[in-house]
Amino acid sequence: MTSRFVITGTDTNIGKTVFSAALADALGACYWKPVQSGLEGETDSETVRRLGRIPSSRIYPEAWRLKTPASPHLAARIDHVRIVPEALSPPSTQSSLVIEGAGGVLVPLTESSVFADVFTRWQIPVILCARTGLGTINHTLLSLEALRRRSIPVFGVVFIGDEEADTQAIIAKLGDVTCLGRLPLLDPLTSDTLPQAFNDHFDISCFQKGIQ
């Protein structure tokens, strides 16, 4: 049985990459980051490989690697690179696949397209990562609305941060969305603490039901 998911967020630096590493590890999945902006330091693919203990053979290369740490449309302009959203197609694999977007749902890939436009074409179930802190209700509900206006299938929401039961409950109710679990902020964050936290806070069987 294989599952395919797109991991996106309500903002940048939400924790998408950490969750992607945990999910790819738990599912024995492959991982793909279509567009990487910013190459100084550890890239998202390298972080997933390290934290999720994912072998290099299960990490697909990025379609575009941009040096500038900025929104893809701006990074591409500065780096003199042309991104072609229509050329982005998920890699073919017999394994489960975790695809991580850049930033939030409406992050621009080019001057005329956003990541959600690609998600619309793919029709792969989306997992939306959201903070638990102040402001997340508005950001999460807006992101869900943007996804649904484009008829993108929403698999559920993952919360990242400290427990905020009322916030999580009202998002589930008003957003009419499944709350898949909450990943706490880990200190230390390592390849040992991450899988343990995932096992403690998520039911892997619910992700295995996302068969594609």
Side-chain angles (χ1 to χ4, degrees):
M1 294 191 303
T2 60
S3 304
R4 295 197 301 170
F5 296 107
V6 166
I7 312 301
T8 189
T10 58
D11 200 352
T12 191
N13 293 325
I14 288 289
K16 298 187 307 297
T17 303
V18 174
F19 176 75
S20 295
L23 183 60
D25 177 40
L27 289 174
C30 295
Y31 168 87
W32 183 46
K33 175 88 173 184
V35 180
Q36 172 70 55
S37 297
L39 299 180
E40 287 190 11
E42 192 173 55
T43 66
D44 290 346
S45 293
E46 291 165 345
T47 299
V48 167
R49 184 167 63 241
R50 174 174 59 84
L51 289 178
R53 297 174 291 194
I54 309 298
S56 297
S57 60
R58 285 176 25 214
I59 305 286
Y60 285 92
E62 301 91 337
W64 277 277
R65 289 169 56 89
L66 306 169
K67 294 180 180 179
T68 303
S71 171
H73 83 290
L74 178 58
R77 186 197 310 159
I78 293 171
D79 292 356
H80 304 290
V81 172
R82 179 173 176 260
I83 293 177
V84 183
E86 296 78 15
L88 288 175
S89 295
S92 178
T93 174
Q94 298 301 311
S95 302
S96 294
L97 179 64
V98 173
I99 303 172
E100 183 187 350
V105 174
L106 297 184
V107 163
L109 275 171
T110 68
E111 300 289 342
S112 59
S113 64
V114 297
F115 249 110
D117 296 326
V118 176
F119 299 162
T120 300
R121 175 164 55 84
W122 288 348
Q123 287 296 295
I124 296 173
V126 165
I127 295 174
L128 179 65
C129 292
R131 293 189 181 95
T132 57
L134 188 65
T136 194
I137 297 173
N138 181 61
H139 293 162
T140 306
L141 294 180
L142 283 172
S143 296
L144 289 169
E145 185 172 305
L147 290 166
R148 287 172 174 151
R149 285 188 65 184
R150 290 167 170 78
S151 299
I152 298 168
V154 177
F155 190 75
V157 170
V158 164
F159 292 101
I160 299 175
D162 297 331
E163 178 74 29
E164 294 289 347
D166 185 77
T167 294
Q168 294 163 217
I170 196 65
I171 287 173
K173 180 178 181 181
L174 294 181
D176 188 23
V177 67
T178 299
C179 292
L180 300 167
R182 178 184 62 86
L183 186 65
L185 300 177
L186 301 176
D187 186 13
L189 173 60
T190 70
S191 59
D192 292 319
T193 61
L194 181 58
Q196 183 61 56
F198 186 90
N199 289 335
D200 290 344
H201 293 269
F202 294 91
D203 179 1
I204 186 60
S205 68
C206 76
F207 298 96
Q208 292 169 332
K209 295 173 184 176
I211 306 302
Q212 282 275 298

